[in-house]
Amino acid sequence: MDATIKKKSRGTGFFCWKTCDILKKIDRKEKLPMKRPFISREKLKQITETYPTPFHLYDEAGIRQTARALHQAFSWNPGFKEYFAIKATPNPAILKILKEEGCGVDCASYVELLMAQKLGFTGQEIMFSSNNTPAEEMFFARQLGATINLDAYEDVAFLQSVATLPEVISCRYNPGGVFELGTDIMDHPEEAKFGMTKEQLIQAFIELKILGVKRFGIHALLASNTVSNDYYPELAKQLFQLAVEVVEKTGVTLDFVNLSGGVGVNYKPEDQPNDIAVIGEGVRRAYEDILVPAGLDQVKIYTELGRFMLASHGLLVTHVTHKKQTYRTYLGVDASAVNLLRPAMYGAYHHITNLDRPDGETEVVDIVGSLCENNDKFAKNREFPVSEIGDLLVIHDTGAHGYSMGYQYNAKLRSAEILLEESGQTRLIRRAEKPEDYFATLYGFDFEK
Ligand SMILES: *Cc1c(COP(=O)(O)O)cnc(C)c1O
């Protein structure tokens, strides 16, 4: 769930709601806030001549840049490692790029583990942060030598019942209550199904130590999509204080603190993007203040970022296919919520650019897909350049939790994924589904080829 959208929406939404019926067309002097796509219109036009829309497009150069900036920001910590959350963008070409940049992967299911294995991630390069875990998945994670992050105190017994205990293990912490930054409530850990209480975590460490586990980690994810340089430093402070207490009470060897995911991107162009250098420095200060004086200056920092690594390096590319005028003005596009669920599921904002008419006269529109579901809207009451059928649009920041949250409602097929390589070449990294893919699980069940 996105912390940012739980706050009351400000600005244009209210304005449009109040005025859209009166003002169908708005002639504005000042430009709308904008986002610049990572590809030119001409280049994208060429790509759409080869690959029909909709498709997801990713930017290799941007992905590498972000990975390097992250590593730079945490270079003060010799053991630092990013375990990219596979669920954000489960595409082998993307995962290979991240592997080349020194990242591991964070998995939470059997198939994510299989994908990691097939791509050559081994042992310590795999974090297994799952919850409510099926026995065979836990067993497989142990077979791969993945670092297990236990979600529940009860999982101490569960893990022993399905596999041998590892040398290193992590436990996921849930402090309960609300998670605040300054006066903003960012999220409600007490409502989250994840993690264990402090007492449970201490008890788990004591038992696991007696059972022979040698080294320990602490993990927590307390807020999602934070657009704030303060989230990681505040989380780090809380986890480092917990770490000091836990080590005092249990005598375990603390190997790492895993700050998990939750660092967000500025989906709204008017928001200030996170600065990973500032974030890394904030975590360093907490480390120096809390862990170093306690003698815990060997502790490694891990992250499991998904969104921050990839979101801004992906675009969902689509064409305007219909225009309709009733009580509102609708722009129909050839993408739909099956390609990008976040707006329908969370009411999440994704910026949209009309590459054929980036500026000029605007009107207030709903931008919609073709599902028989009224939540299939990429934008509601949005001031947008007056568009025509055939216009090329890009939906921004779809590189994480975009394709991967897709589904097949209305028997819509999943789209292709394309990589814009550093060289400027483009390459198909997942083909679009065909009807035969949809039918494959039905053959032999009252349905024949
Ligand atoms: C989803 C998830 C992440 C990644 O979250 P982002 O918001 O994409 O950074 C990391 N760790 C765990 C355990 C997760 O469930």
Side-chain angles (χ1 to χ4, degrees), residues 3 10 33-34 40 55 85 94 102 161 195 218 275 277 294 302 310 357 386 397 408 423 431:
R10 300 150 284 160
M34 57 185 276
S40 71
F55 57 80
I94 304 285
S161 73
I218 294 177
D275 184 337
Y302 292 165
L310 250 297
R357 287 166 237 275
V386 175
D397 302 315
Q408 288 174 315
S423 64
R431 68 163 170 83

Side-chain angles (χ1 to χ4, degrees), residues 102-407:
C103 301
V105 282
D106 168 39
C107 301
S109 73
Y110 184 71
V111 176
E112 286 181 356
L113 285 169
L114 262 183
M115 189 183 273
Q117 182 193 32
K118 281 174 174 283
L119 290 171
F121 291 95
T122 56
Q124 304 275 292
E125 293 171 326
I126 307 173
M127 185 67 62
F128 187 59
S129 289
S130 77
N131 71 93
N132 194 19
T133 312
E136 61 275 19
E137 299 192 4
M138 191 66 100
F139 182 76
F140 188 44
R142 281 289 296 124
Q143 270 192 321
L144 293 182
T147 302
I148 309 270
N149 183 27
L150 291 184
D151 178 69
Y153 167 71
E154 293 80 353
D155 286 348
V156 175
F158 170 64
L159 174 56
Q160 289 178 83
S161 73
V162 295
T164 55
L165 289 174
E167 286 220 339
V168 186
I169 207 159
S170 172
C171 286
R172 182 167 183 169
Y173 173 55
N174 182 334
V178 295
F179 184 82
E180 291 170 273
L181 285 182
T183 54
D184 284 345
I185 291 178
M186 305 301 287
D187 225 318
H188 297 77
E190 69 185 356
E191 294 172 13
K193 66 170 177 167
F194 309 108
M196 54 186 95
T197 67
K198 190 205 286 186
E199 293 67 32
Q200 290 176 324
L201 186 133
I202 289 171
Q203 188 59 29
F205 275 26
I206 290 171
E207 291 176 24
L208 288 162
K209 190 181 173 212
I210 292 169
L211 291 164
V213 174
K214 297 274 185 294
R215 285 169 290 136
F216 291 79
I218 294 177
H219 168 283
L221 201 177
L222 302 186
S224 277
N225 190 33
T226 54
V227 188
S228 162
N229 292 331
D230 298 331
Y231 169 65
Y232 255 10
E234 174 58 32
L235 173 70
K237 195 176 113 196
Q238 293 188 20
L239 291 185
F240 294 164
Q241 284 165 347
L242 173 73
V244 171
E245 183 183 339
V246 165
V247 168
E248 264 172 23
K249 288 192 170 147
T250 65
V252 301
T253 303
L254 190 72
D255 192 45
F256 62 85
V257 171
N258 184 344
L259 300 175
S260 190
V263 177
V265 296
N266 60 322
Y267 288 103
K268 293 182 178 163
E270 61 270 28
D271 285 350
Q272 194 64 26
N274 284 326
D275 184 337
I276 198 65
V278 173
I279 291 171
E281 177 57 21
V283 175
R284 189 188 67 76
R285 236 176 286 129
Y287 192 98
E288 299 285 336
D289 288 350
I290 303 165
L291 288 187
V292 173
L296 297 173
D297 55 357
Q298 301 292 312
V299 169
K300 302 167 194 155
I301 301 298
Y302 292 165
T303 55
E304 297 172 341
L305 296 168
R307 194 185 315 269
F308 178 78
M309 301 300 284
L310 250 297
S312 60
H313 306 307
L315 296 169
L316 175 55
V317 182
T318 186
H319 280 106
V320 177
T321 53
H322 292 83
K323 206 165 174 180
K324 167 174 174 172
Q325 189 80 56
T326 52
Y327 312 101
R328 290 186 181 183
T329 300
Y330 294 97
L331 288 183
V333 296
D334 56 16
S336 70
V338 300
N339 308 113
L340 177 69
L341 181 59
R342 298 185 70 257
M345 183 140 115
Y346 305 127
Y349 182 93
H350 277 266
H351 199 68
I352 305 176
T353 300
N354 183 332
L355 286 179
D356 289 321
R357 287 166 237 275
D359 27 45
E361 204 181 351
T362 63
E363 62 186 335
V364 173
V365 296
D366 281 16
I367 300 176
V368 303
S370 56
L371 301 187
C372 306
E373 268 275 10
N374 198 41
N375 68 4
D376 183 18
K377 296 184 175 186
F378 293 117
K380 295 180 193 174
N381 280 328
R382 187 172 302 182
E383 190 182 343
F384 196 72
V386 175
S387 304
E388 300 298 332
I389 290 169
D391 283 0
L392 183 60
L393 310 190
V394 293
I395 305 177
H396 293 260
D397 302 315
T398 59
H401 311 293
Y403 179 94
S404 62
M405 286 178 93
Y407 56 114

